[in-house]
Amino acid sequence: MTDRIKDNTARLGFGCPFASRRQVLLGLGGAGSALALGAVPALAEEGDGHQVTDAPTGLNSTSERVPFYGKHQAGIVTPRPATGIMAAFDVVARTPDDLETMLRKLTERIVFLTQGGEVPELDPKLPPPDSGILGPVVAPDNLTITVGLGASLFERREFLTPLKPRTLQRMTQFPNDALDAERCHGDLSLQFCANLQDTNIHALRDIVKNLPEYLVLRWMQEGDVPVIPPKPDGETESARNFLGFRDGSANPDSNDRDLMQKVVWVGEGDDEPQWAHGGTYQAVRIIRNFVERWDRTPLKEQEEIFGRKKDSGAPFGGTRESDVPDYTRDPQGELTPLDSHIRLANPRTPEADDNLILRRPFNYSNGVTKSGQLDQGLLFIAYQADLEKGFIAVQTKLNGEPLEEYIKPVGGGYFFVLPGVSSPDRYLGQDLIEAVSTADTPI
Ligand SMILES: C=CC1=C(C)c2cc3[nH]c(cc4nc(cc5[nH]c(cc1n2)c(C)c5CCC(=O)O)C(CCC(=O)O)=C4C)c(C)c3C=C
Ligand SMILES: [Fe+2]
């Protein structure tokens, strides 16, 4: 049990049958109040299930809670809520012991923030223990915080270098990129996702405040995306990006465990260090959209650039967003242009199955550029079991696509998302830290 949760236990009185009105309103009272009352957070079913309640995500309730413990970290195959922040940090910790302390503290804060609970009251002569943004009770609000490690963390610490995941590398420049060094790379990434952006901001501030001797913020990008509940007939629709197209239509199904094991999670069949099993590679790209130019482009041209209809999201020749294009019947690209975004990204050949990725992006709006243009775009985030076969291969196929006239990648980085934490006595990255002492034996 974390110290913070112990504090809560003491404050509330373990076993107290009466939850406060505020706890009840936030869904922390009564039978659902295990965490607020100091109990250990619920374990995910079967070790890796991160399913939240059946309620649509992102709609009204701050009481929705995503389980923390499991084979994999939450925030990847769990439903994407309405808002996100990607933040990258430089890690100050230099020794295995310091790294362990950092990871233990980070785990403790993430458990508290994602599972919710009351903020302890301290002596008013001291700074308050919490920013107070969410009030005296921190509601879980569907928050997930997903921790990744950058190549630089491994490369700048000799004891970690032999343990670096096989395809983890520093992001290099693609031909259409104009990368801003101040918005690239990092030793550690934190992806925050929640129903409300205030919940992400509160969590980021909490981590910055509680780990100042270990983490220095390098860059961050906020984003959001409308959460669209399923239609009465059960059909689902993807949210639109800032170019007005449905984005996510052809994503692999994140509820399909076998598919996710193949596409997303590093596992037994992969040539990877043992400690990395259950993790995944995270590719982050801040991609500016030239929306003024796009909004002056004819609809037909826009649709040909993507290879899908703008209103329905259907591929050419189809009527529904979920329709699957058959390129074998269109070898010359008369229906779906050969250089359209979707055909280049996934030509749907048997070989292209090796390049599948799980996309989980957010739209961003950063105000106005110095030259008076809208600074909007896509906070592109993708997960894959192999960075080279996944993001890097797909981006290489997209190089030179017609969409490039309207987009400009300006930042991002590659990270390896740590495996999940299986039980409350363990911490994020424990297998990595424990592997340090045996790193000279084969991995
Ligand atoms: C390297 C990977 C990708 C980048 C970078 C990327 C940028 C990007 N994409 C859109 C909009 C859409 N993308 C769509 C499909 C799609 N995109 C990628 C990969 C990258 N996109 C893949 C693998 C696919 C799926 C292709 C398929 O299997 O058919 C679509 C169509 C709808 C959908 O399936 O999501 C849109 C729209 C933007 C605006 C953008 C950069 C700003
Ligand atoms: Fe795309």
Side-chain angles (χ1 to χ4, degrees):
M1 198 185 300
T2 65
D3 290 340
R4 178 64 65 97
I5 295 167
K6 278 188 209 146
D7 285 348
N8 294 340
T9 311
R11 269 182 53 72
L12 291 166
F14 194 78
C16 166
F18 304 110
S20 71
R21 182 171 172 274
R22 186 173 164 81
Q23 282 174 271
V24 172
L25 286 174
L26 291 170
L28 294 167
S33 67
L35 196 99
L37 293 175
V40 166
L43 291 177
E45 273 179 26
E46 290 183 27
D48 69 345
H50 284 301
Q51 299 303 316
V52 285
T53 65
D54 287 334
T57 52
L59 300 176
N60 304 324
S61 170
T62 57
S63 65
E64 293 169 313
R65 182 181 295 128
V66 185
F68 173 76
Y69 296 104
K71 189 173 174 191
H72 311 298
Q73 286 193 66
I76 296 163
V77 299
T78 44
R80 179 185 53 174
T83 72
I85 294 180
M86 184 58 71
F89 296 81
D90 292 326
V91 172
V92 181
R94 304 297 321 169
T95 65
D97 283 353
D98 281 353
L99 272 181
E100 176 180 335
T101 311
M102 177 193 87
L103 289 164
R104 282 185 186 275
K105 276 199 173 196
L106 197 53
T107 307
E108 183 189 309
R109 295 320 302 154
I110 294 174
V111 170
F112 173 73
L113 293 162
T114 59
Q115 304 305 296
E118 232 177 82
V119 174
E121 276 171 24
L122 294 186
D123 181 341
K125 288 194 223 74
L126 296 171
D130 187 271
S131 63
I133 294 173
L134 302 182
V137 177
V138 171
D141 194 31
N142 243 335
L143 175 69
T144 59
I145 305 174
T146 312
V147 183
L149 303 180
S152 52
L153 186 90
F154 294 87
E155 287 162 4
R156 293 188 194 143
R157 286 160 190 79
E158 225 171 85
F159 61 90
L160 282 184
T161 308
L163 294 163
K164 184 162 73 84
R166 189 175 51 85
T167 63
L168 186 61
Q169 54 200 269
R170 186 179 165 91
M171 184 177 73
T172 52
Q173 179 127 342
F174 291 94
N176 187 43
D177 290 4
L179 299 176
D180 171 0
E182 289 180 3
R183 288 198 276 176
C184 287
H185 316 303
D187 293 332
L188 183 140
S189 73
L190 294 180
Q191 176 199 261
F192 300 83
C193 302
N195 295 344
L196 302 172
Q197 194 63 281
D198 278 11
T199 304
N200 294 323
I201 289 170
H202 171 265
L204 173 62
R205 294 250 308 256
D206 182 283
I207 288 171
V208 166
K209 176 184 157 85
N210 281 291
L211 284 98
E213 67 273 57
Y214 301 105
L215 295 178
V216 179
L217 189 57
R218 190 178 166 92
W219 57 266
M220 62 174 276
Q221 179 60 61
E222 293 180 34
D224 53 58
V225 72
V227 174
I228 306 176
K231 293 203 280 196
D233 61 5
E235 201 180 322
T236 53
E237 293 173 319
S238 305
R240 292 182 188 275
N241 57 39
F242 278 170
L243 300 183
F245 278 74
R246 295 198 182 281
D247 203 324
S249 325
N251 233 357
D253 179 2
S254 60
N255 293 310
D256 182 335
R257 282 178 180 233
D258 291 343
L259 186 60
M260 290 302 101
Q261 190 54 55
K262 176 180 173 297
V263 172
V264 172
W265 305 121
V266 166
E268 286 304 328
D270 299 308
D271 178 20
E272 293 283 9
Q274 186 71 32
W275 73 262
H277 292 187
T280 180
Y281 291 90
Q282 178 187 61
V284 182
R285 303 271 282 171
I286 304 171
I287 308 179
R288 177 144 176 239
N289 295 171
F290 300 131
V291 294
E292 291 90 347
R293 184 185 295 174
W294 183 255
D295 289 342
R296 290 193 301 267
T297 301
L299 175 62
K300 187 165 178 294
E301 203 175 319
Q302 293 187 1
E303 292 182 331
E304 283 172 357
I305 285 172
F306 281 116
R308 282 182 179 265
K309 301 292 287 178
K310 194 169 187 180
D311 53 0
S312 62
F316 294 147
T319 53
R320 293 145 62 108
E321 193 192 343
S322 55
D323 288 344
V324 178
D326 182 356
Y327 301 140
T328 59
R329 295 168 62 183
D330 177 28
Q332 305 305 320
E334 280 150 11
L335 191 59
T336 308
L338 299 176
D339 61 359
S340 62
H341 183 74
I342 64 164
R343 197 157 177 175
L344 287 174
N346 181 6
R348 294 180 186 264
T349 56
E351 304 78 59
D353 271 1
D354 288 345
N355 309 124
L356 290 177
I357 58 177
L358 181 71
R359 291 168 289 140
R360 211 171 180 275
F362 293 94
N363 300 323
Y364 76 81
S365 180
N366 287 347
V368 188
T369 66
K370 284 189 188 120
S371 53
Q373 290 173 320
L374 290 164
D375 187 358
Q376 301 184 346
L378 194 71
L379 173 56
F380 178 92
I381 306 169
Y383 294 98
Q384 51 264 291
D386 183 317
L387 189 61
E388 285 168 359
K389 287 187 181 162
F391 174 79
I392 294 174
V394 178
Q395 181 55 63
T396 303
K397 293 187 217 181
L398 289 172
N399 287 344
E401 64 170 331
L403 180 62
E404 284 187 350
E405 198 182 332
Y406 302 92
I407 63 173
K408 188 57 71 183
V410 293
Y414 302 150
F415 303 92
F416 187 80
V417 170
L418 293 168
V421 179
S422 57
S423 58
D425 56 334
R426 295 187 59 80
Y427 62 92
L428 280 159
Q430 186 163 350
D431 286 344
L432 169 62
I433 297 300
E434 287 174 356
V436 167
S437 53
T438 50
D440 43 359
T441 59
I443 47 175

